[in-house]
Amino acid sequence: MVFAVAGATGHLGRLVLDSLLDLGVAPGDIVAIGRDTAKVSDFVAKGVVARSADYSDRGALDEALAGVDRLLLISGSEVGRRVKQHKNVIDAAKHAGVGFIAYTSAPHADTSTLALAPEHKATEAMVRASEIPYALLRNNWYTESYVQVAEQAKYTGLIIASLGDGRIASASRRDYAEGAARVLVAEAHEGQTYEFAGDTAWGYDELAEVVSEIVGREVTYKRVSSKEHRKILSKAGLDMGTAAFVVTLDTNTRDGALADANPTLSTILGRPTTPLATGLAEAYAEAEASRAAEAEAQGEPDTPQ
Ligand SMILES: NC(=O)c1ccc[n+]([C@@H]2O[C@H](COP(=O)([O-])OP(=O)(O)OC[C@H]3O[C@@H](n4cnc5c(N)ncnc54)[C@H](OP(=O)(O)O)[C@@H]3O)[C@@H](O)[C@H]2O)c1
């Protein structure tokens, strides 16, 4: 049985490769697909097969998926171009005779108001229409996404957002990756749509408490209106489109688009999902360590002077 991961060169994809190996899949039965396969050279050294393909290149995808039995399609990162790109992957999977496809989607993609949902909804429809047996993995937010928030708060003591009391059922990338790997290797999941999320949802007051602990200073959550938020982001140098997008995501969050905490993921993992405090502390420490290593490699001090 040959398992392929499309998007294997990214943060989530690399963790899926780790999980497949942990689950006992032979390295030679794993195909890691991405544009820049140098990013998985450490896995290639272990015997994993790397194949280079851009989601925009149907011919390369046909070659990359040859002989693959079960495929995990990790959503691409080029927002606005993904429907066509994902169509290429799904068509190539059909052409290659792939027997199962799992797709990383977004929470309640078919009904959500989340600004990012339409591309996922369209991809889910294409997966279903392909008639390839499938599973839809609707991943909530990654806890790691809040490292930058913590880094800013370290200097300002503030977390500014317009999501009010909106709650987020995040889990760590490692949790989603292990969940995806477990779905990929077991036939029991075929036909399922899973709302993958953390066991509990949290709000920004709780995030501020966790960040205070991590950065070692008092951090408070400052609620602002959407209009104020857009102004603050523009002043900080974001272009109008990006500022509007960030504010829209906050509005979606305030309206509950990310609040669905549920035990689906932890049931598949057979353990609780990683709590916010643990997941964010680990991700923050990792980011600090890699910054320090980079600074050392360049012969620079690792703290701003
Ligand atoms: N739930 C969340 O909180 C959250 C947050 C951020 C992103 N996401 C979604 O989850 C996905 C995986 O997250 P991540 O953290 O692993 O992101 P990431 O580190 O940016 O990795 C993205 C992966 O997608 C691949 N990719 C993007 N465009 C591609 C294209 N045109 N052709 C081929 N491969 C392409 C990248 O390949 P290369 O290495 O060749 O670039 C990489 O392997 C993202 O792409 C995004 O859709 C979810």
Side-chain angles (χ1 to χ4, degrees), residues 75-162:
S75 52
S77 43
E78 297 171 327
V79 175
R81 302 179 60 196
R82 297 188 290 184
V83 176
K84 178 78 179 71
Q85 292 177 340
H86 294 167
K87 182 177 188 315
N88 283 335
V89 182
I90 296 161
D91 288 349
K94 186 84 180 165
H95 177 75
V98 168
F100 173 76
I101 182 164
Y103 170 66
T104 62
S105 187
H108 299 280
D110 53 344
T111 54
S112 177
T113 54
L114 194 64
L116 290 163
E119 286 184 307
H120 291 292
K121 181 179 176 179
T123 304
E124 288 190 357
M126 294 188 296
V127 169
R128 285 196 199 90
S130 74
E131 294 181 353
I132 300 172
Y134 67 87
L136 301 173
L137 314 179
R138 292 176 168 172
N139 293 346
N140 202 299
W141 258 210
Y142 304 148
T143 294
E144 288 84 347
S145 307
Y146 298 90
V147 167
Q148 221 188 333
V149 172
E151 286 171 347
Q152 278 172 7
K154 181 178 177 179
Y155 296 104
T156 61
L158 280 178
I159 299 175
I160 298 172
S162 52

Side-chain angles (χ1 to χ4, degrees), residues 9-12 35 39 54-55 75-76 82 140 142 173:
T9 48
H11 292 92
L12 182 70
R35 286 174 297 196
K39 291 186 196 163
D54 192 306
Y55 290 170
S75 52
R82 297 188 290 184
N140 202 299
Y142 304 148
R173 273 203 195 88

Side-chain angles (χ1 to χ4, degrees), residues 18-31:
D18 274 335
S19 294
L20 287 171
L21 293 172
D22 287 348
L23 290 170
V25 178
D29 291 339
I30 301 173
V31 177

